[in-house]
Amino acid sequence: MSTTGTPTATGLSTPAGIALYVGALLGPSLLLLPGLAARIAGPASLVAWALLLVLSGLLARVFMVLGRILPGTDGVVGYTRAGFGPGRLGAGAARVVGWCFLA
C-alpha cells in the first residue's frame, strides 16, 4: 500500500458530526415514530414531534459548545466531572452518568 503524503484529518469535523447526529435522529424518527404517534395521539403528535426536533437541536448545540470549551474530556462523563469538580463528588457523579448512558 503506498501513501500519497497528504496528512489525514484526525477526529470528527463539525459537518461530519452534524450529519451523523441528523442521520441518527431522523432515521428511526421518520420511519417509525410518526406513524405510531399519529395512531395514538392524533394530530397533536405532529406538534410533539416538531418540539422534540427543536429540543434535540438545542441539546446538540449544547454538546457542540461543551466540546469546544472542554476538548480533552471524555464526553458526557468528562463534562459531568468538570462540572462537579475533581473530588469524590465529581468522580461519583461522572460514574453515575456513565452507567446511565450505558444502560
Side-chain angles (χ1 to χ4, degrees):
M1 214 159 79
S2 65
T3 60
T4 60
T6 37
T8 59
T10 58
L12 186 64
S13 67
T14 301
I18 290 171
L20 285 173
Y21 184 79
V22 168
L25 179 69
L26 292 181
S29 298
L30 287 178
L31 296 175
L32 182 65
L33 291 179
L36 293 173
R39 185 180 306 155
I40 294 169
S45 64
L46 294 176
V47 174
W49 191 74
L51 184 63
L52 178 66
L53 190 62
V54 169
L55 291 176
S56 295
L58 292 174
L59 186 64
R61 173 81 177 159
V62 166
F63 280 114
M64 181 188 72
V65 170
L66 283 172
R68 286 185 179 170
I69 292 172
L70 303 168
T73 59
D74 300 326
V76 178
V77 172
Y79 304 148
T80 305
R81 189 178 302 117
F84 282 98
R88 285 180 42 188
L89 180 64
R95 190 174 297 116
V96 168
V97 167
W99 278 107
C100 285
F101 268 82
L102 182 65

